[in-house]
Amino acid sequence: MPVNMKAVIAETFLRMAGERSVDKISVKDLVEECHISRQTFYYHFQDLMEVIEWAVSQAARRTLEEGRQAGSAQEALRIFVTSAMEHSGLLQRLLNSQRREQVERLMVETVRSCLEELSRDRPPMESISAGDRETALDFYAFGIVGLLLKNTGKKGLDVDLLASQMHRLLSGRMLRLRGQEDGENP
């Protein structure tokens, strides 16, 4: 069976990032650890950030597929939150690196992409414009990432409670602004 070199490089990087500061990992270190040439690395990736992006997209794809098998939206959110918390150590190392801004942007893009894909699976409760849909996806993606960043690494985090809270926020059942209860636009 052929070796998936992209996966080998990404897994090696993630293992190394679990052991030391992300800022201390160089392409030279990574190729030595993988026992490959620099040419092989650059055939698959442009730089270390692309390795991170690929690894995150693969993890998000697996989590999204698992979430699709869930019986409810709340259960899908629980799976997503659980996955994020299982990788909280790595996430903290990435956020503590000089790549923090890129990592945060990547997280928002990944969550937004997952929400967009999940929203295609379900018809909207009401017809909304493309612009409103884009704004809603951005709002929810930034909100979810903000909550994940705030809770990353918290000891004793109740994943089920956080997933329930996110679900109620996303469904509009947690917080109603003044005027909404009367059917008015706020």
Side-chain angles (χ1 to χ4, degrees), residues 66-81 115 118-119 122 144 160 162-168 170-171 173:
E66 192 178 339
R68 281 196 164 143
Q69 305 303 317
S72 68
Q74 184 171 330
E75 177 62 17
L77 279 167
R78 190 192 65 70
I79 290 167
F80 185 77
V81 172
L115 288 172
L118 287 172
S119 72
R122 294 177 173 86
I144 289 171
D160 291 323
L162 183 57
S164 171
Q165 291 168 327
M166 286 181 169
H167 183 257
R168 287 182 286 139
L170 291 170
S171 64
R173 292 190 322 239

Side-chain angles (χ1 to χ4, degrees), residues 9-159:
I9 293 168
E11 288 167 12
T12 303
F13 175 83
L14 294 175
R15 184 179 44 75
M16 291 172 72
E19 298 168 355
R20 62 181 164 186
S21 167
V22 173
D23 293 330
K24 303 267 188 214
I25 300 171
S26 67
V27 171
K28 181 180 183 279
D29 297 331
L30 186 55
V31 299
E32 286 175 3
E33 192 73 23
C34 291
H35 306 289
I36 60 173
S37 68
R38 289 177 74 84
Q39 183 178 4
T40 300
F41 174 85
Y42 287 114
Y43 176 80
H44 295 285
F45 297 104
Q46 290 181 359
D47 56 24
L48 291 175
M49 193 62 213
E50 191 174 346
V51 175
I52 295 167
E53 290 172 0
W54 189 83
V56 167
S57 73
Q58 294 302 302
R61 183 187 53 75
R62 287 188 301 272
T63 302
L64 181 62
E65 288 307 314
E66 192 178 339
R68 281 196 164 143
Q69 305 303 317
S72 68
Q74 184 171 330
E75 177 62 17
L77 279 167
R78 190 192 65 70
I79 290 167
F80 185 77
V81 172
T82 300
S83 176
M85 294 306 124
E86 285 173 353
H87 297 98
S88 66
L90 174 63
L91 183 56
Q92 277 304 127
R93 287 187 180 276
L94 290 169
L95 292 170
N96 291 334
S97 76
Q98 295 175 2
R99 293 179 172 86
R100 181 182 183 101
E101 188 176 321
Q102 294 167 299
V103 169
E104 286 179 352
R105 176 193 46 79
L106 177 60
M107 288 178 69
V108 169
E109 289 172 0
T110 301
V111 169
R112 189 186 188 289
S113 176
C114 288
L115 288 172
E116 188 171 24
E117 197 162 325
L118 287 172
S119 72
R120 281 190 216 124
D121 294 346
R122 294 177 173 86
M125 291 174 55
E126 59 185 62
S127 180
I128 62 172
S129 70
D132 284 352
R133 184 174 186 276
E134 294 299 307
T135 299
L137 288 169
D138 286 341
F139 180 80
Y140 291 140
F142 276 97
I144 289 171
V145 169
L147 286 170
L148 291 175
L149 292 176
K150 180 180 181 201
N151 288 288
T152 296
K154 271 192 180 175
K155 299 291 183 210
L157 176 69
D158 186 338
V159 171

